[in-house]
Amino acid sequence: MSRQDPDIAGFKQQLVEMTKVRESTPPSVEAQRAAFDGQHGAVPPAEGCEITPIVVGSVRGERITPKGADTSKALIYHHGGGHMFGSPLSHRHLVSRLAAAAGVVAYNMEYRLAPEHPYPAGLDDAEQAYRFVLGEGFKPENLIVGGESAGGNLTAALLLKLRDLGLAQPAGAYLLSPWLDLTQSGASYEARGPHDPMITHAALTGCSAAYRAGASAEDPLISPAKADLAGLPPLFIQVGADEVLLCDSLEFTRRAALAGIDVRLHVWADMVHAWPLFHFALPVSGLAAIDEAGAWISRQLRH
């Protein structure tokens, strides 16, 4: 499907031009957050979705209920943004479409960001969000957790933390272009670097330093690609072949398979980082990937 996308070449060129501007005049963290929320927050959510804010203690986010959804089953989603930007607003349009494709409720969750709130603040918030959704009456076997990029990092780390705490795992996890190795040591930085118009080694190194704040990148809760994955639930991973982060997904898949986990990896040819987030510019591949993820989520929750 992705090889036939008529929009990918033009989209990549736009990303190259945007990256040049950003590198010539680096924006502040505050400006980057505002721009990202402004761009993606302007994209309307999927039609027929009811959106309800969540403000309960330290838990922040929103509940998205598509028309006709099975309200006994849910997706808990952690947005991306290098652990430094992104919000429920920026990802509402994507999460609502994932929920609609899966036919479930979605919890589009907020978490504290670096550099103001480095590790483990975001992971602690993800754990609290998971406990909150359980408190809403959902059974673990009726939940999928997911996220893209840094949100995929939090999702994988959350699974490890739940396991180590002896808490029930969800029915599965969906990872989109996950950032799983903050040591930045994968071979894809060199092999796919010339093809990636969006993400650079230098940019990720800066985000890694801000998130870790001195903590070791070898810590499996910071770099889940370094972890023993035994005991994790089924996994579905989507990643673009033109991402410098490709090796993160390859290594995580390898470790999951060796641990006996049911894991599915789909590497989309020609695709860039987190392309379903740009479904409005890449409707062929973006919406196809959303439909694929929704179908997997639906199958995992069918019991």
Side-chain angles (χ1 to χ4, degrees):
M1 181 69 72
S2 57
R3 291 179 180 176
Q4 303 171 2
D5 195 316
D7 301 307
I8 186 60
F11 183 67
K12 286 179 176 178
Q13 185 56 42
Q14 291 178 22
L15 290 175
V16 168
E17 294 169 0
M18 290 171 59
T19 299
K20 287 180 179 178
V21 172
R22 186 171 63 247
E23 290 179 345
S24 64
T25 309
S28 65
V29 172
E30 293 77 14
Q32 193 171 13
R33 290 171 180 170
F36 194 72
D37 279 1
Q39 176 192 9
H40 286 279
V43 182
E47 291 186 13
C49 288
E50 178 183 347
I51 301 171
T52 306
I54 297 170
V55 182
V56 179
S58 62
V59 178
R60 300 286 189 275
E62 58 189 23
R63 175 180 168 127
I64 301 175
T65 307
K67 184 177 180 180
D70 182 345
T71 56
S72 70
K73 298 174 182 178
L75 165 69
I76 305 174
Y77 196 86
H78 309 108
H79 67 78
H83 293 293
M84 296 182 70
F85 60 94
S87 70
L89 173 61
S90 66
H91 282 65
R92 180 181 295 160
H93 68 91
L94 172 62
V95 179
S96 64
R97 283 168 174 77
L98 287 168
V104 300
V105 175
Y107 285 84
N108 181 24
M109 303 310 296
E110 183 177 329
Y111 56 88
R112 287 171 290 173
L113 300 172
E116 300 95 329
H117 304 285
Y119 172 84
L123 179 55
D124 289 345
D125 290 349
E127 179 194 343
Q128 290 305 310
Y130 185 76
R131 292 178 182 273
F132 169 79
V133 175
L134 291 177
E136 292 271 279
F138 289 92
K139 298 178 180 179
E141 60 267 28
N142 289 332
L143 293 175
I144 297 291
V145 295
E148 104 282 353
S149 196
N153 176 286
L154 286 183
T155 297
L158 174 63
L159 298 179
L160 296 170
K161 189 172 184 181
L162 294 176
R163 180 196 65 187
D164 294 346
L165 290 173
L167 298 176
Q169 293 280 347
Y174 164 57
L175 305 177
L176 168 61
S177 298
W179 185 22
L180 300 171
D181 182 3
L182 272 65
T183 69
Q184 317 297 95
S185 57
S188 52
Y189 284 95
E190 180 176 350
R192 304 316 298 167
H195 304 274
D196 192 328
M198 186 187 307
I199 307 296
T200 65
H201 191 285
L204 287 178
T205 298
C207 291
S208 173
Y211 178 61
R212 292 186 293 108
S216 173
E218 298 287 342
D219 184 333
L221 292 181
I222 290 177
S223 294
K226 305 286 186 181
D228 172 7
L229 304 184
L232 267 57
L235 306 166
F236 178 51
I237 305 169
Q238 294 173 319
V239 66
D242 284 357
E243 298 192 46
V244 295
L245 290 178
L246 174 60
C247 272
D248 291 34
S249 291
L250 296 177
E251 176 61 12
F252 196 73
T253 299
R254 184 188 74 84
R255 285 180 175 253
L258 290 175
I261 306 301
D262 180 346
V263 56
R264 301 186 183 192
L265 171 67
H266 187 173
V267 180
W268 287 61
D270 300 330
M271 283 300 109
V272 297
H273 183 66
W275 73 98
L277 184 63
F278 303 95
H279 62 84
F280 50 88
L282 296 171
V284 174
S285 293
L287 294 176
I290 289 170
D291 286 344
E292 180 183 55
W296 182 86
I297 292 169
S298 180
R299 286 195 301 272
Q300 287 303 120
L301 295 176
R302 194 180 302 143
H303 51 72

